[in-house]
Amino acid sequence: MEYAENSRAAGRQAILLNHLRSVVPTSQEAPLQAQACLAGDSAAYERRASGMDDVVIISAFRTPMCKAKRGALKDCPADDMLATVLQATVDRTGVEPEAYGDVVIGSVLGPSSQRANECRIAMFLAGYPETVPVRTVNRQCSSGLQAVADVAAAIKAGFYTVGVAGGVEAMSQTPMAWEGGVNPRAAQNKKAMSCLIPMGVTSENVAAKYGISRDLQDKMAVSSHQRAAKARDTGRFKDEIVPVKTSWKDPKTGEEKEILVEHDDGIRPDISTAALAKLKAVFKKDGTTTAGNSSQVPQLCTMESCVYNKLSSGQPPVAVCMFPLAYYAALAGAISCTQLFLHRWCRVCARSNA
């Protein structure tokens, strides 16, 4: 018995020593390099470098995208929007809420721990049990995407087989202001000060750097509204939008009434480049960014359901037989994500109009 234990211990030591050995033998000391684990994998499934085992998205729902402060969802709290879409995720996928290993919600301007509690409240309102955990994540404009990436990574790591990721912003209830004072040391560092540049100013800087003209931005804005209107009128959004029942207060009379919000209310199908050309630039004199060619300040919630799908064995997604909407590949992040995003957007614009 003792001999067998010693043999197993020696085997484990040999495996560890093999990990520490340089892949390319040289006369000089080489840095450590990662190698495949010879002792097997502790994950709930077999990992394959070929990508045969995928994380798939089986559902994608959202509330209508409405104008903050003035739209149909202006008086709807974040937890009500979340609860509506969380409930729809269960109803439309057939996955029992007990099956979810985690709920991850991206949010930018939500009040930190309060937003996390709002997400927890929303789960209970939607019928999720207390055994399902929840957390929030903030990566600025890509917070919802980061939530999806986090859930996909956890599934790939074998922590659980099905999870929910989403994002929520209740901009109508969010003060657009810096909380507290700015660290005076930031003025001593150019990069630190760049963290305080407003999005609109960043838009002007990137437009100037890449030569994206006002006319091009106006044309793209018109095209975007026209495409959105066509998609709405032809029912393209019908399957993804979850109607929201909420209270709405008339800003003129103060009267409150219950309404059902079913459609996006920021689409302007009759907009034209001539009308947009009359608008003044907001962030810079003789600039290019206007209220007409910028995205609206939204009030909405989105939700995706991710599952582990063992394609190599021909099995359907775990716990549910639904055709995958998409396969998760990867997410690349950058420190200066806002400016990088706008850089990429400008390159796309330049290519599409070449």
Side-chain angles (χ1 to χ4, degrees):
M1 182 69 176
E2 182 179 355
Y3 174 79
E5 289 291 339
N6 290 337
S7 297
R8 282 193 290 268
R12 288 193 293 268
Q13 290 176 356
I15 292 172
L16 291 173
L17 290 173
N18 188 53
H19 289 322
L20 298 175
R21 191 183 63 221
S22 173
V23 175
V24 181
T26 63
S27 57
Q28 299 179 348
E29 184 178 355
L32 298 180
Q33 298 187 32
Q35 297 188 32
C37 181
L38 302 180
D41 201 327
S42 60
Y45 61 91
E46 181 185 358
R47 303 179 198 272
R48 292 176 181 268
S50 63
M52 291 294 289
D53 299 338
D54 294 301
V55 174
V56 298
I57 297 174
I58 61 169
S59 68
F61 306 119
R62 66 177 178 91
T63 66
M65 184 182 297
C66 296
K67 302 175 185 176
K69 310 291 185 182
R70 298 180 294 125
L73 289 176
K74 68 180 182 66
D75 299 313
C76 186
D79 37 11
D80 275 351
M81 290 190 292
L82 278 165
T84 299
V85 185
L86 283 168
Q87 181 65 60
T89 300
V90 172
D91 293 342
R92 299 189 187 184
T93 63
V95 178
E96 295 297 327
E98 294 83 1
Y100 291 111
D102 202 1
V103 175
V104 182
I105 304 298
S107 187
V108 180
L109 294 177
S112 189
S113 60
Q114 178 178 320
R115 179 49 50 85
N117 281 333
E118 289 170 342
C119 293
R120 192 61 167 164
I121 291 171
M123 288 179 59
F124 293 143
L125 293 177
Y128 285 60
E130 61 184 7
T131 54
V132 178
V134 64
R135 67 177 174 87
T136 57
V137 60
N138 187 343
R139 195 186 279 276
Q140 298 300 312
C141 298
S142 58
S143 296
L145 289 175
Q146 186 61 54
V148 175
D150 286 1
V151 170
I155 292 174
K156 281 181 174 289
F159 295 154
Y160 47 81
T161 56
V162 57
V164 177
V168 65
E169 295 298 339
M171 303 294 286
S172 300
Q173 294 85 25
T174 301
M176 299 291 289
W178 186 277
E179 296 183 12
V182 178
N183 189 336
R185 292 185 58 201
Q188 304 170 15
N189 187 294
K190 184 178 180 180
K191 291 182 179 179
M193 284 300 295
S194 70
C195 296
L196 305 177
I197 298 177
M199 180 74 79
V201 176
T202 300
S203 173
E204 291 288 0
N205 293 340
V206 174
K209 180 174 182 177
Y210 288 97
I212 305 299
S213 67
R214 164 73 180 271
D215 181 63
L216 175 57
Q217 293 179 56
D218 287 350
K219 287 180 178 178
M220 183 173 183
V222 170
S223 174
S224 177
H225 280 283
Q226 291 175 343
R227 291 176 178 179
K230 183 178 180 181
R232 177 192 60 192
D233 296 341
T234 56
R236 293 291 185 91
F237 296 147
K238 184 178 180 180
D239 291 338
E240 69 183 50
I241 291 180
V242 181
V244 180
K245 292 182 180 179
T246 185
S247 296
W248 181 81
K249 186 176 182 179
D250 191 314
K252 296 181 178 179
T253 65
E255 177 187 2
E256 288 191 17
K257 59 181 179 180
E258 296 294 316
I259 62 172
L260 181 66
V261 185
E262 300 181 87
H263 304 289
D264 301 331
D265 65 15
I267 301 174
R268 294 172 288 175
D270 299 327
I271 199 171
S272 66
T273 53
L276 291 183
K278 298 177 181 178
L279 299 176
K280 294 182 179 180
V282 179
F283 300 96
K284 179 182 178 182
K285 185 179 180 180
D286 299 325
T288 63
T289 302
T290 72
N293 60 27
S294 302
S295 60
Q296 72 179 43
V297 179
Q299 180 102 350
L300 80 159
C301 173
T302 65
M303 202 71 60
E304 289 81 33
S305 181
C306 302
V307 302
Y308 163 64
N309 186 31
K310 195 171 180 64
L311 293 180
S312 58
S313 63
Q315 298 175 3
V318 169
V320 62
C321 292
M322 293 186 68
F323 187 80
L325 299 178
Y327 293 88
Y328 177 83
L331 175 70
I335 296 174
S336 182
C337 60
T338 298
Q339 189 160 342
L340 179 64
F341 171 79
L342 290 173
H343 284 187
R344 290 173 177 169
W345 178 84
C346 289
R347 291 194 182 102
V348 171
C349 289
R351 285 198 298 270
S352 64
N353 289 273

